[in-house]
């Protein structure tokens, strides 16, 4: 024999709606809290697929990110690694994908490598507003971590190597993806040298790449093209045609 609570269907529905609303409110708070960790958040919010300028060579990276957005629920820890020349739209593509996922209710962090390391290092100061645990916890907790300018530091300290391992290993264990952008060249990507920058056995590098779909963005440096077009007093389109010999 056991006691059960009797309730009419309308009361059950009201209770369910209450708890659903509570969960949604908690998720909104969590998303907003994690978003505060993002670098240059106002600039990132303005980057969308609609205002992304598709250029020669950017197709594979664009397709990989849009596919990752579409299949986000089923991809698990499978991330994205976009590499290529600086200023060619890698950050815009990944930020646009992140904004799409935020709109769908996912918690996303977009952070540059230098900003991440600077903030983790600053936690050594007892007056710092952010604690090491808060930053590291957010990087591990977010549904998606977008890591911009990966390997931008020519020389990594022992602490920085350890932070990279902690985050990549932690997210792998939690079955959560990382999207990375990097300015490394195709030659560096293929070489053994780049792999050993992270540790003496290259384990961290192959752990990262093993959990990623990699795409080379062959588009040229748009920042450079815009600057040259302004200097010559012509449009970006005209300057690009000159580069293509048209």
């Amino acid at each position: 024999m056991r006691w059960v609570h009797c309730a009419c269907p309308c009361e059950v529905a009201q209770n369910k709606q209450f708890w659903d609303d509570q969960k949604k409110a908690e998720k909104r708070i969590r998303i907003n809290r994690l978003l505060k960790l993002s670098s240059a958040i106002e600039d990132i919010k303005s980057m969308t697929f609609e205002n992304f300028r598709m250029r020669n060579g950017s197709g594979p990276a664009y397709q990989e990110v849009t596919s990752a957005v579409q299949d986000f629920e089923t991809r698990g820890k499978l991330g994205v690694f976009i590499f290529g020349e600086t200023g060619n739209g890698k950050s815009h593509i990944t930020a646009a994908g992140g904004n799409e996922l935020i709109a769908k209710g996912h918690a996303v962090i977009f952070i540059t490598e230098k900003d991440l390391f600077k903030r983790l290092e600053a936690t050594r100061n007892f007056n710092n507003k952010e604690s090491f645990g808060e930053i590291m916890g957010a990087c591990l907790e977010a549904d998606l971590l977008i890591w911009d300018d990966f390997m931008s530091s020519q020389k990594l300290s022992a602490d920085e190597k350890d932070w990279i391992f902690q985050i990549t290993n932690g997210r792998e264990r939690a079955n959560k993806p990382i999207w990375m952008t990097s300015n490394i060249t195709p030659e560096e990507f293929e070489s053994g040298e780049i792999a050993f920058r992270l540790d003496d056995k290259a384990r961290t590098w192959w752990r990262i790449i093993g959990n990623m779909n990699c795409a080379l963005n062959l588009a040229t440096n748009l920042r450079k093209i815009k600057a040259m077009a302004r200097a010559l007093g012509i449009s970006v389109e005209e300057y690009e045609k000159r580069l293509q010999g048209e």
Side-chain angles (χ1 to χ4, degrees), residues 12-223:
V12 171
Q14 286 177 347
N15 285 337
K16 183 179 184 302
Q17 185 63 51
F18 172 78
W19 289 113
D20 286 346
D21 290 344
Q22 287 292 101
K23 288 180 181 178
K24 288 178 182 177
E26 289 172 2
K27 189 166 187 178
R28 281 196 297 271
I29 292 170
R30 172 173 168 261
I31 289 170
N32 290 333
R33 176 172 59 81
L34 293 176
L35 273 173
K36 290 179 181 178
L37 184 63
S38 293
S39 306
I41 186 63
E42 293 306 318
D43 290 339
I44 292 162
K45 286 180 179 178
S46 68
M47 297 177 184
T48 66
F49 288 130
E50 287 71 26
N51 61 26
F52 175 72
R53 183 178 178 181
M54 184 67 75
R55 299 164 59 240
N56 289 337
S58 60
Y62 183 90
Q63 291 168 10
E64 181 55 44
V65 172
T66 53
S67 175
V69 171
Q70 182 179 347
D71 301 330
F72 188 76
E73 301 287 352
T74 58
R75 284 170 62 108
K77 65 184 177 183
L78 181 62
V80 174
F81 190 92
I82 308 296
F83 64 106
E85 185 177 355
T86 183
N88 68 1
K90 300 183 297 299
S91 299
H92 191 137
I93 295 172
T94 52
N99 285 326
E100 290 274 322
L101 291 172
I102 291 170
K104 293 180 179 181
H106 293 287
V108 178
I109 292 175
F110 183 105
I111 195 161
T112 64
E113 182 167 280
K114 289 188 180 299
D115 187 25
L116 174 60
F117 290 167
K118 180 180 178 182
R119 289 161 78 166
L120 286 171
E121 181 65 32
T123 61
R124 300 181 193 277
N125 184 339
F126 69 91
N127 289 324
N128 197 60
K129 294 180 180 179
E130 296 176 315
S131 72
F132 182 89
E134 287 171 338
I135 298 172
M136 186 62 69
C139 289
L140 297 178
E141 182 186 352
D143 297 329
L144 171 65
L145 173 63
I146 301 178
W147 189 316
D148 196 42
D149 281 342
F150 179 66
M151 297 292 286
S152 56
S153 304
Q154 293 299 312
K155 188 174 181 180
L156 295 166
S157 69
D159 282 339
E160 289 168 345
K161 292 177 183 179
D162 183 57
W163 296 336
I164 292 172
F165 177 79
Q166 285 189 53
I167 293 171
T168 54
N169 182 62
R171 291 191 65 82
E172 179 186 38
R173 289 178 177 274
N175 200 35
K176 293 183 176 182
I178 304 175
W179 294 358
M180 288 180 167
T181 70
S182 180
N183 294 331
I184 65 174
T185 66
E187 293 74 24
E188 287 177 314
F189 184 84
E190 292 179 343
S191 74
E193 185 271 335
I194 191 78
F196 289 95
R197 286 190 198 172
L198 298 175
D199 65 80
D200 58 0
K201 296 186 182 300
R203 289 173 295 193
T204 303
W205 170 257
W206 292 117
R207 180 186 296 271
I208 292 169
I209 298 304
N211 289 322
M212 305 279 189
N213 277 352
C214 303
L216 172 61
N217 187 350
L218 287 169
T220 52
N221 186 338
L222 184 58
R223 297 190 195 106

Side-chain angles (χ1 to χ4, degrees), residues 221-234:
N221 186 338
L222 184 58
R223 297 190 195 106
K224 178 181 177 181
I225 288 173
K226 286 181 177 179
M228 291 302 298
R230 285 196 301 270
L232 295 172
I234 60 178

